[in-house]
Amino acid sequence: MKLKKSFLAVLALCLLFGHIKGQEAIQRPKLVIGLMVDQMRWDYLYRFYDRYGKGGFKRLLNDGFSCENTYIDYVPTYTAIGHSTVYTGSVPAIHGIAGNDFIIQQTGQHMYCTQDDNVSGVGTDEDEGKQSPRNLLSSTITDQLKLATNFRSKVIGIAIKDRGGILPAGHFADAAYWFEGKSGDWISSSFYMEELPAWVQQFNAQKLTEKYLQQDWNTLYPIETYAQSIDDNNEYEATFRGEESPVFPKKLATLVKDNGLGLIRTTPFGNTLTLDLAKAAISNEQLGANPGGFTDFLCVSLSSTDYVGHQFSVNAIEIEDTYLRLDKELEAFFAYLDEHVGKGEYTLFLTADHGASHNPLFFMDKRGNAGYFDERNALSGLNTLLSEKFGQEKIVRSLMNYQVHLDYDIIQANDLDEAEIKAVAIKFLRTLEGIAFVTDMEQAGASSIPARIRERIVNGYNAKRSGCIQLILEPQWYSGSPRSRGTTHGTWASYDAHIPLVWMGWGIKQGASNRETHMTDIASTVAALLHIEEPNGNIGHPIVEVLEK
């Protein structure tokens, strides 16, 4: 009898232990880091590969998982849309960020993507502080993490560009910080806080912007070794104010007098400054050491790669040097994460908001087919034609974002036929050099445009914030003139739409896939990794090859 009772007692304990074990917490990483490299073309992973060290980009590619064919799902391809799409898993048609700037069609109000006149700056009295994520209509994966943990996870966004720090961090973020060029400081807004935390004030007090700008920007290695780039002095690059030619070394301590502290944006040291703040945030906010054991999220966007690209273009030594320096910065950042969060305890993904075009003049000089779409002349010619036809001037407000924006006040006040206006406009625009396709946004889904481009037009169209007609340019064309230097982006072509996406760390397999994936898949992959709900506007799918389970 005693033996039977002992057996039953042991059995009960086993059952109890099994029940308790079954209630163990879901395993998650301590910290997720979303690392956006602004204007990073996919091919930069490999164009400079043989010059990268082992601990930066190569560590990502060798230890992590690379989604080699990741594409943007919409047009136009701009910074604010890219950051919003990565973190919402959605597209402008749903999340509402239709450009860096867009027009509220009902009122004609010009709106900056993160503009919020109802908040005030924190750490600044300038208008740069009047920013928030209120224009973003969808939740972000960072919002969903806050909801899933009853707001016990910590979320922080950091970027030189306000939109790069604000939009990824979402509506429920603990903080977002961005750079103010006038003061050289990191600032925020009253949407998040009443005053900057003491550690941010102490960080600003170091005056790192001034210190970094006291050095010359010279090439990291002997300039003759930059074989992937064209000659240092060429006609495709822009100069800084006070500079006679766009060549190395760049005397930053002298140039800052004419260009202000915002000069740091267009140097590799802007990335250094950003990652300095990211490390300080990890340390001071104890990211990855959440007292409740919950996953934290740090959103970092490296903006200087975009500024350098816009000024110097794809083939410049400045670009090659910026990425060689960034490789070393990433190596140091990954080592910092290993030490302070724990190797294998965090998950990191690196991607981009868009790519960049070769300078069209460079392309033409090499006997390629390219060109510039003269937006100002097109707008003037279109309005002249419409004025002659309908008796009203300036019926078209703008061709911003490669879209026709009508002045609906004029149309309604004069009882004009919008459909007829659009038909006349489309017929005219199709005659212009550099235009491949023109379509009425409301009819885009049925238009005779290749399916991939057609889908991107539909995804990019937000009826309240987008124009009514979409322009699609010929490959290697963008808005500008032969006087334009550097590069830009915004088109459907692969140089703008094919982006890197590399994962590393907790829960991530080692490997690569050439299957086509999409920018909209990133948020749902993070959701699957964390076992949380996807953002409420998500249209993407988890990239299951990436995940260990």
Side-chain angles (χ1 to χ4, degrees):
M1 180 65 71
K2 288 183 178 180
L3 183 61
K4 185 176 180 180
K5 288 182 178 179
S6 298
F7 173 77
L8 291 173
V10 170
L11 179 61
L13 286 171
C14 289
L15 291 171
L16 178 62
F17 176 76
H19 178 67
I20 293 171
K21 187 174 182 180
Q23 291 184 332
E24 287 180 352
I26 297 294
Q27 296 300 302
R28 296 183 174 97
K30 293 180 179 178
L31 178 65
V32 177
I33 304 99
L35 193 57
M36 301 278 287
V37 184
D38 202 321
Q39 203 188 108
M40 183 175 179
R41 291 163 50 115
W42 166 81
D43 64 337
Y44 289 163
L45 285 174
Y46 301 103
R47 181 169 181 168
F48 313 122
Y49 184 87
D50 61 339
R51 308 200 74 187
Y52 291 148
K54 293 182 178 180
F57 287 115
K58 282 185 178 177
R59 177 177 170 184
L60 279 169
L61 291 167
N62 295 333
D63 294 355
F65 192 101
S66 180
C67 300
E68 292 285 280
N69 278 298
T70 302
Y71 285 89
I72 293 175
D73 306 73
Y74 54 81
V75 288
T77 47
Y78 291 125
T79 297
I81 312 177
H83 284 75
S84 300
T85 297
V86 165
Y87 282 86
T88 64
S90 192
V91 289
I94 299 169
H95 65 54
I97 301 300
N100 292 336
D101 298 87
F102 48 85
I103 295 173
I104 305 299
Q105 299 298 317
Q106 185 176 3
T107 64
Q109 180 187 6
H110 188 106
M111 180 68 71
Y112 178 64
C113 56
T114 53
Q115 177 181 335
D116 188 346
D117 297 333
N118 294 314
V119 300
S120 56
V122 173
T124 179
D125 294 325
E126 303 295 321
D127 285 345
E128 288 179 77
K130 294 181 178 181
Q131 315 282 344
S132 87
R134 284 199 174 106
N135 288 326
L136 182 62
L137 304 178
S138 171
S139 70
T140 59
I141 190 62
T142 45
D143 287 337
Q144 296 300 141
L145 178 60
K146 295 288 279 189
L147 291 167
T149 62
N150 198 23
F151 295 83
R152 290 174 287 182
S153 290
K154 189 170 285 188
V155 172
I156 293 177
I158 293 172
I160 280 181
K161 293 183 181 180
D162 44 34
R163 54 191 182 271
I166 291 168
L167 295 168
H171 306 82
F172 307 143
D174 296 272
Y177 302 106
W178 54 97
F179 179 78
E180 182 186 62
K182 183 178 179 180
S183 65
D185 287 342
W186 292 91
I187 64 173
S188 191
S189 83
S190 59
F191 181 87
Y192 304 98
M193 62 193 73
E194 295 303 316
E195 64 178 354
L196 292 174
W199 70 266
V200 178
Q201 295 182 43
Q202 292 164 8
F203 186 93
N204 285 336
Q206 297 178 69
K207 300 297 180 184
L208 292 179
T209 302
E210 290 93 326
K211 291 178 182 178
Y212 286 134
L213 290 175
Q214 287 305 305
Q215 61 188 312
D216 290 347
W217 177 12
N218 212 334
T219 53
L220 189 60
Y221 304 108
I223 196 166
E224 62 271 14
T225 67
Y226 286 68
Q228 284 296 106
S229 304
I230 61 177
D231 291 341
D232 189 25
N233 194 6
N234 62 76
E235 62 180 320
Y236 313 114
E237 302 175 15
T239 57
F240 291 115
R241 284 192 296 273
E243 191 178 44
E244 292 184 3
S245 56
V247 297
F248 287 101
K250 300 182 187 299
K251 302 290 186 179
L252 301 182
T254 301
L255 291 173
V256 71
K257 297 173 184 176
D258 291 323
N259 295 270
L261 296 174
L263 173 67
I264 198 170
R265 297 183 179 106
T266 318
T267 75
F269 309 118
N271 292 332
T272 308
L273 183 68
T274 303
L275 290 171
D276 285 343
L277 187 68
K279 294 172 190 175
I282 291 169
S283 175
N284 289 278
E285 298 287 354
Q286 294 294 293
L287 298 178
N290 191 296
F294 301 102
T295 300
D296 295 325
F297 208 124
L298 176 63
C299 313
V300 180
S301 181
L302 299 170
S303 308
S304 287
T305 42
D306 184 72
Y307 285 103
V308 172
H310 277 295
Q311 177 133 340
F312 300 104
S313 85
V314 170
N315 302 97
I317 292 175
E318 286 84 352
I319 277 288
E320 184 172 351
D321 193 66
T322 294
Y323 276 88
L324 296 181
R325 289 176 178 275
L326 176 58
D327 181 60
K328 289 186 174 294
E329 296 284 0
L330 292 179
E331 181 174 4
F333 185 55
F334 297 158
Y336 184 91
L337 290 168
D338 291 344
E339 180 180 354
H340 289 81
V341 181
K343 190 173 184 179
E345 299 289 344
Y346 60 89
T347 304
L348 181 145
F349 66 85
L350 179 146
T351 190
D353 51 350
H354 55 73
S357 170
H358 289 284
N359 180 281
L361 185 59
F362 165 82
F363 213 75
M364 289 185 283
D365 286 346
K366 297 298 183 182
R367 298 192 296 276
N369 196 335
Y372 299 91
F373 173 64
D374 193 326
E375 183 179 305
R376 290 185 179 181
N377 281 346
L379 177 60
S380 176
L382 178 56
N383 268 328
T384 298
L385 175 64
L386 294 175
S387 177
E388 293 171 355
K389 177 73 174 178
F390 298 99
Q392 297 296 324
E393 296 184 355
K394 297 184 178 179
I395 292 175
V396 177
R397 295 182 189 273
S398 170
L399 297 183
M400 181 173 61
N401 298 333
Y402 298 104
Q403 296 164 359
V404 174
H405 300 263
L406 299 179
D407 189 324
Y408 290 102
D409 289 339
I410 291 176
I411 292 171
Q412 292 167 11
N414 294 278
D415 197 26
L416 302 180
D417 188 328
E418 181 183 349
E420 189 178 358
I421 291 170
K422 289 194 289 186
V424 172
I426 289 171
K427 185 176 181 180
F428 169 79
L429 291 166
R430 283 175 175 163
T431 68
L432 300 182
E433 186 179 15
I435 297 287
F437 304 103
V438 185
T439 185
D440 184 334
M441 289 288 212
E442 293 180 342
Q443 307 298 324
S447 61
S448 56
I449 296 175
R452 173 176 280 197
I453 304 174
R454 187 170 64 240
E455 182 178 10
R456 292 179 187 179
I457 293 171
V458 172
N459 286 341
Y461 175 49
N462 185 287
K464 295 180 180 179
R465 298 178 176 184
S466 300
C468 62
I469 296 171
Q470 180 73 55
L471 311 181
I472 298 294
L473 304 187
E474 302 284 359
Q476 219 64 57
W477 283 67
Y478 60 65
S479 181
S481 77
R483 298 185 301 277
S484 301
R485 296 294 180 260
T487 189
T488 192
H489 48 87
T491 75
W492 64 273
S494 61
Y495 50 76
D496 279 354
H498 186 191
I499 56 173
L501 175 57
V502 192
W503 308 76
M504 184 180 74
W506 190 97
I508 303 299
K509 287 181 182 176
Q510 184 179 11
S513 173
N514 281 298
R515 179 176 71 84
E516 183 172 317
T517 51
H518 300 270
M519 179 185 269
T520 48
D521 296 334
I522 297 171
S524 52
T525 304
V526 176
L529 178 82
L530 299 180
H531 298 281
I532 62 176
E533 186 58 66
E534 297 169 342
N536 55 26
N538 177 70
I539 63 169
H541 305 279
I543 308 170
V544 295
E545 301 97 314
V546 167
L547 305 175
E548 285 186 343
K549 295 180 181 179

